[in-house]
Amino acid sequence: MKQIIVALLLVPFFAVSPGIDEHLAAMKTTKNAVQDFVQSGIAYGSFSYPTACAAIPMAKRAAVVRAVGEFARSFTKTQAFLQWYASYREEKKPSAPEATPAMADSRAKQLADLKASIAEQEKAQANAPADQKGIFRDVIAALRQMVKELEKPDPAQDAQMDAYIKEANAEGAKHYKEKLAAWEKEYPAGDPKPLLKLRLREFLDATGNVDFGAKLVKKGDALVFVNPAYENKESRWKTAYRAGKEATEAARAIAQQWLKEL
């Protein structure tokens, strides 16, 4: 099983601080790349990290976590991050429903489409060989019959359908208004704090009861937990376990302090 550092568990939340330059070589990454991890992690709630971080010695991981966390709050206040948040927020905005047109408008469009199809078929018929013109004749006749039927609407039936359409459109508009209000609450303009709080709490919840003393046993080519219940733990729990107690506790301390300040 891979060794994974909690410092990179926090990459979804934390950017690289000026004081962590010395660690970038070990992580085989750059500040810009880590910032991309930050934004991606905040967007999707993932604990992604550069794969090279698995090679960082256990004894150095807590220091990396603290260095990474030091710059976290500063990065999420930068204009670049706020611009990203604005773009992400817009992506999450619910789409307005498309209102169903009234029967008269719907019928008018259908008639226009049918008449356009008839014109196309007539043009194709004129250019077709003599032995194929009959095929187009039948198609054109069927289309004209459809036009004839549409041009004789049933007013009572249309009124009934229009009432249903009006009710459905009103219900759709109501649901959209509710979704819009929920979106504005979840992603307030210019304020990423609710999203940051959510991701930090998710991290704390996922790493709050890790059994760092759990034993592993080799099974085939893989290492598995002696306690079978731990094999069913979510990936973030297992990631924290592999990171080690010191690194995880350092990461949790940063997250807890940041939550207090948000």
Side-chain angles (χ1 to χ4, degrees):
M1 298 172 74
K2 288 184 177 180
Q3 292 179 326
I4 305 175
I5 64 169
V6 167
L8 275 304
L9 270 179
L10 288 177
V11 161
F13 318 120
F14 306 145
V16 184
S17 72
I20 204 174
D21 286 330
E22 62 184 280
H23 299 293
L24 291 176
M27 292 189 289
K28 294 184 180 179
T29 188
T30 65
K31 289 183 179 180
N32 287 338
V34 175
Q35 288 180 7
D36 289 340
F37 276 104
V38 173
Q39 293 169 173
S40 176
I42 291 174
Y44 304 110
S46 61
F47 287 172
S48 56
Y49 55 90
T51 55
C53 292
I56 296 176
M58 189 74 73
K60 294 183 178 180
R61 295 180 183 184
V64 173
V65 171
R66 285 188 287 269
V68 170
E70 183 65 24
F71 185 70
R73 287 156 288 191
S74 297
F75 172 71
T76 55
K77 294 176 183 177
T78 63
Q79 191 60 33
F81 179 81
L82 292 176
Q83 287 176 351
W84 169 84
Y85 171 74
S87 176
Y88 173 76
R89 175 179 181 270
E90 198 62 26
E91 290 176 8
K92 292 295 183 179
K93 185 177 181 178
S95 299
E98 185 174 344
T100 302
M103 289 301 295
D105 295 331
S106 178
R107 183 176 292 104
K109 185 178 185 308
Q110 291 180 60
L111 283 169
D113 290 344
L114 283 171
K115 289 177 180 179
S117 294
I118 290 172
E120 291 176 2
Q121 292 295 321
E122 289 175 337
K123 183 178 179 181
Q125 182 186 44
N127 296 324
D131 61 344
Q132 296 181 15
K133 291 184 182 295
I135 298 174
F136 292 98
R137 189 180 302 112
D138 293 340
V139 173
I140 292 170
L143 291 173
R144 285 176 176 165
Q145 180 60 34
M146 293 172 68
V147 169
K148 185 177 180 180
E149 291 173 0
L150 281 172
E151 288 179 334
K152 294 181 179 179
D154 181 337
Q157 188 178 51
D158 276 7
Q160 184 178 11
M161 286 301 299
D162 282 341
Y164 171 79
I165 289 170
K166 183 178 180 180
E167 181 179 345
N169 285 340
E171 190 68 17
K174 176 185 176 183
H175 287 323
Y176 173 65
K177 185 177 180 180
E178 292 170 350
K179 289 180 180 179
L180 201 61
W183 167 76
E184 289 174 341
K185 182 178 180 180
E186 188 173 1
Y187 305 102
D191 182 11
K193 287 182 181 179
L195 183 58
L196 291 172
K197 288 179 180 178
L198 172 65
R199 298 302 186 223
L200 288 167
R201 289 185 181 120
E202 287 176 347
F203 169 74
L204 290 170
D205 289 344
T207 60
N209 62 344
V210 181
D211 181 1
F212 294 104
K215 303 300 182 183
L216 298 171
V217 64
K218 193 167 184 179
K219 188 175 182 180
D221 294 331
L223 289 173
V224 298
F225 287 103
V226 172
N227 184 342
Y230 290 165
E231 285 300 316
N232 296 322
K233 291 288 187 179
E234 65 166 318
S235 61
R236 292 177 295 187
W237 187 96
K238 294 178 180 179
T239 298
Y241 168 82
R242 294 161 190 160
K245 183 177 180 180
E246 293 76 10
T248 300
E249 288 181 348
R252 288 178 56 80
I254 293 167
Q256 289 164 347
Q257 181 58 38
W258 194 0
L259 269 176
K260 291 178 181 179
E261 297 175 1
L262 287 175

